[in-house]
Amino acid sequence: MVRCKSLSKATWYFCSFELTWGISFAGSDSTASTMQSFFYLVLNNPAVYSNLKEEVDRAQKAGELSEIVTYAEALKLDYFQACLKEAMRVRPAVGLGIYRNVPPEGVEIDGKFYPGGTQVAVNGWVLHRDKTIFGDDVEVFRPERWFERDAKLMGSHLYQVRQSQKKEKGIHSNLLDSLVVAVIFALGVILPSLR
Amino acid sequence: MNKALIQILREFDITLVHPGRPLQYHSTFFVVQEGLEVYIKKRSRK
């Protein structure tokens, strides 16, 4: 499951490409992909969609949602959060391994020693299907697992973004334009007249 | 994204045009997906 590589000149070129790519598209591309996964999985599971609407309607009636929904309000919708995490688990937006440096003194992983200067990665699409972490039905989109199993453990095994990127994502600078793009990407909107 | 999704779920009823049809995707660094076509209908505020 672990892939590793030593840093060569080519790698550095690749890293700078990756970085540029990341800066230009990390906002809209991965958000669009995640939103598509979310709607695809939720809409294909009518029971989940109905639970989700119920939660949103209940919050709306209780006056827990502003006219423009805030991040803090969205975080309080537990079932919605479970659906979003489950969508990211089943269809992560990042398709390749995200490389991390081993410590300078090297590290032993699964019986094999990797010297300092090596980068290692696992692929989210594989890691998110680890039955020891997520349960036996890893292929199934089932938000309920986030209430039944150790959510903290499962959350720590979601391999979506680097820690540093998680922080960047907290900054809302590119959020608006990335959202507009994402909504258009995510929903192939069809006009009623074309139906 | 958290905010937008809730906003969309609150304001619209969404139905798939092709229920069960798999998404098309190709994997680069990001998994780029397409083929999610939906009907959206404005929900009435209760």
Side-chain angles (χ1 to χ4, degrees):
Chain A
M1 203 152 90
V2 178
R3 277 179 69 198
C4 79
K5 66 184 180 186
S6 301
L7 285 179
S8 64
K9 211 173 174 187
T11 310
W12 281 115
Y13 285 135
F14 178 71
C15 286
S16 50
F17 167 74
E18 194 180 282
L19 193 67
T20 322
W21 179 265
I23 290 166
S24 348
F25 294 106
S28 61
D29 234 23
S30 64
T31 309
S33 189
T34 304
M35 287 175 77
Q36 280 170 315
S37 300
F38 174 84
F39 278 112
Y40 172 75
L41 292 164
V42 167
L43 295 177
N44 272 303
N45 291 275
V48 173
Y49 185 35
S50 138
N51 287 343
L52 196 52
K53 280 206 280 195
E54 220 166 85
E55 183 180 52
V56 174
D57 290 347
R58 186 200 45 73
Q60 176 69 22
K61 270 186 198 153
E64 290 164 13
L65 296 178
S66 312
E67 185 60 28
I68 302 294
V69 179
T70 67
Y71 183 55
E73 287 164 355
L75 282 183
K76 281 186 199 145
L77 302 174
D78 292 337
Y79 193 74
F80 164 69
Q81 290 299 327
C83 290
L84 190 54
K85 275 188 261 181
E86 184 71 350
M88 290 192 211
R89 182 188 74 76
V90 179
R91 303 181 70 89
V94 176
L96 296 180
I98 303 172
Y99 284 93
R100 290 178 166 88
N101 295 318
V102 303
E105 66 275 17
V107 71
E108 194 183 304
I109 302 170
D110 201 18
K112 205 172 164 207
F113 182 74
Y114 299 89
T118 312
Q119 292 191 315
V120 293
V122 293
N123 189 307
W125 286 70
V126 177
L127 184 65
H128 294 178
R129 282 162 173 72
D130 186 335
K131 291 185 179 173
T132 58
I133 307 291
F134 296 100
D136 285 333
D137 57 348
V138 285
E139 293 297 335
V140 184
F141 174 76
R142 202 171 58 79
E144 286 73 18
R145 83 176 70 248
W146 292 87
F147 305 107
E148 296 162 5
R149 301 178 68 87
D150 186 345
K152 208 173 163 196
L153 177 76
M154 292 194 294
S156 71
H157 284 76
L158 280 190
Y159 203 64
Q160 189 85 335
V161 281
R162 278 177 242 211
Q163 287 302 327
S164 60
Q165 281 180 340
K166 277 184 185 166
K167 269 187 205 144
E168 283 163 31
K169 287 207 152 189
I171 302 167
H172 294 180
S173 59
N174 69 344
L175 199 67
L176 187 67
D177 46 297
S178 70
L179 272 183
V180 173
V181 177
V183 169
I184 295 167
F185 275 163
L187 300 172
V189 176
I190 293 186
L191 295 173
S193 59
L194 297 176
R195 286 177 76 167
Chain B
M1 182 168 61
N2 277 271
K3 298 181 279 185
L5 289 176
I6 292 300
Q7 202 89 23
I8 292 169
L9 289 166
R10 185 177 62 179
E11 307 293 338
F12 300 105
D13 272 321
I14 309 169
T15 339
L16 289 166
V17 177
H18 308 284
R21 185 176 79 173
L23 284 181
Q24 292 166 1
Y25 62 96
H26 65 272
S27 298
T28 56
F29 182 81
F30 289 123
V31 179
V32 182
Q33 313 192 93
E34 58 182 316
L36 182 67
E37 292 171 7
V38 300
Y39 297 120
I40 60 174
K41 201 174 128 202
K42 188 97 171 82
R43 302 179 71 188
S44 54
R45 285 281 181 89
K46 284 160 221 163

